[in-house]
Amino acid sequence: MNAPLTILGSGMAGLGLARQLRARQPDRPITLITADSGDEYAKPLLSTGFAKGLAPDALATRSALDVADELKLVVRTHTRVEALDPAAREVLIGAERLAYDELVIATGAAPQPPFAIDAALRHRRVFTINDLDDYRAFHAALAGLGRPARVAIVGAGLVGCEYANDLAAGGHAVALVAPESAPLARLLPEPLGQALAGELAAAGIELHLGRSVTALEHDGGDLRLALDNGHGLDADLVLVATGLAPRRELAHAAGLETSAAGIHTDRRLRTSAPGVYALGDVACVEGINAMYVQPLQASVKALAATLAGTPSAVRYGPWPVIVKTPCCPVVALPPHTTPARWRIEGEGIDLTALAEDENERLMGFALTGACVRRKVELARAAPALLI
């Protein structure tokens, strides 16, 4: 008889694993526990919905009930696990102790706002979007205004830039605030970031780069963001997009090996506790936490094979990140370590940046505009992230 499996998390990692494992083991008892609604959806589509006028239900491909029925799972929605007991192989939910034979922690990562958010404003005027439930709340707030909104986005990384482009294309007035001098500072060298900034501005987005938010004020009407240059920015709604941190608290409290990079695993996604695995944004695989779709999908496939009896090590290829900013297409394969130089070619917004080591070997690349067509060519020449 197949041993019971418990999965914590219903995002792309948790549901993806359940789907792949069910194909391999039709009769294995699987319980999936999630703190949210448990609906199945493609997370990358969340930052494309406003330009298309998509309601939240249009992004959900299956409800939690449909998922449970199709995959023959026990799905427990809006349920928070309070602790893990690896020695007893139990998950603690209030007074309940749920036994497992094998456990997969796929709890993802949580937004990290750079300032305190008043409880009265959170989920009503100030938002983060990290799952479909978050999208529902933000979408409802926009719809509740009954007019185009003034949205201030804090953070100019991948999420901030994608939502800025999407909301502006959807007819909203968008202001983007970030301490960096150019967008996508972790993915693009400065000249390419400036090219993107120019196109975001041309799309009607108000840029406040090189600026930090010192306070968020509310007088019952407008929200006001106080900036570090003494200026203020008025908004109807604020979207905070300042990065994610792995949700490692449960594992850390249970004594598993963790760090700021996530729950430590080997190449088979095994944690330091027997029978416990970590998957997706929460997992740091041999020192690497790659919070992108392709590494997640590779990990899902490898772990499904392992849990089904064929031990499989995960491999991360040279997979570039595609940024959904239609005003200026961006593709990047950031180098794992600091390059000796960036070699930049092109003109206007059509730029290629090659990250090279001391021996002029390719370590990574960044592309904007029409040069994104080189992504396959350059990916073939770039080193894998985890061989």
Side-chain angles (χ1 to χ4, degrees), residues 118 121 124-126 145 147-152 215-226 232-238:
D118 189 305
L121 298 178
R124 297 179 63 185
R125 301 288 300 277
V126 183
L145 291 172
R147 56 171 171 79
R150 297 167 300 162
V151 182
L216 179 60
E217 303 162 357
H218 179 231
D219 61 4
D222 289 346
L223 294 173
R224 187 169 183 81
L225 288 78
L233 183 62
D234 294 328
D236 298 307
L237 304 174
V238 174

Side-chain angles (χ1 to χ4, degrees), residues 76 83-100:
R76 298 180 58 166
L84 307 177
D85 186 343
R89 297 207 175 198
E90 292 177 333
V91 169
L92 281 65
I93 305 170
E96 179 185 5
R97 300 181 73 92
L98 178 68
Y100 65 82

Side-chain angles (χ1 to χ4, degrees), residues 245-324:
R247 290 190 176 104
R248 61 188 178 98
E249 294 80 9
L250 276 175
H252 180 73
L256 277 65
E257 185 180 348
T258 70
S259 69
I263 302 172
H264 293 190
T265 78
D266 63 12
R267 293 280 295 276
R268 294 182 184 174
L269 290 309
R270 297 177 295 193
T271 71
S272 58
V276 180
Y277 302 81
L279 178 67
D281 289 355
V282 76
C284 179
V285 184
E286 288 198 349
I288 295 174
N289 187 335
M291 293 189 184
Y292 303 113
V293 172
Q294 287 172 305
L296 183 152
Q297 291 174 333
S299 295
V300 164
K301 184 176 181 180
L303 184 54
T306 295
L307 293 174
T310 305
S312 301
V314 68
R315 173 187 178 275
Y316 295 160
W319 296 319
V321 179
I322 299 173
V323 184
K324 298 183 291 298

Side-chain angles (χ1 to χ4, degrees), residues 188 192 195 320-322 327-333 343-354 365-379:
L188 303 179
L192 279 73
V321 179
I322 299 173
C327 72
C328 178
V330 174
V331 173
L333 180 65
R343 181 158 55 89
I344 299 175
E345 307 165 348
E347 57 184 19
I349 68 165
D350 303 324
L351 299 174
T352 296
L354 305 177
F365 58 85
L367 310 168
T368 56
C371 291
V372 299
R373 292 176 294 192
R374 298 189 63 191
K375 65 180 182 292
V376 174
E377 162 209 343
L378 291 172

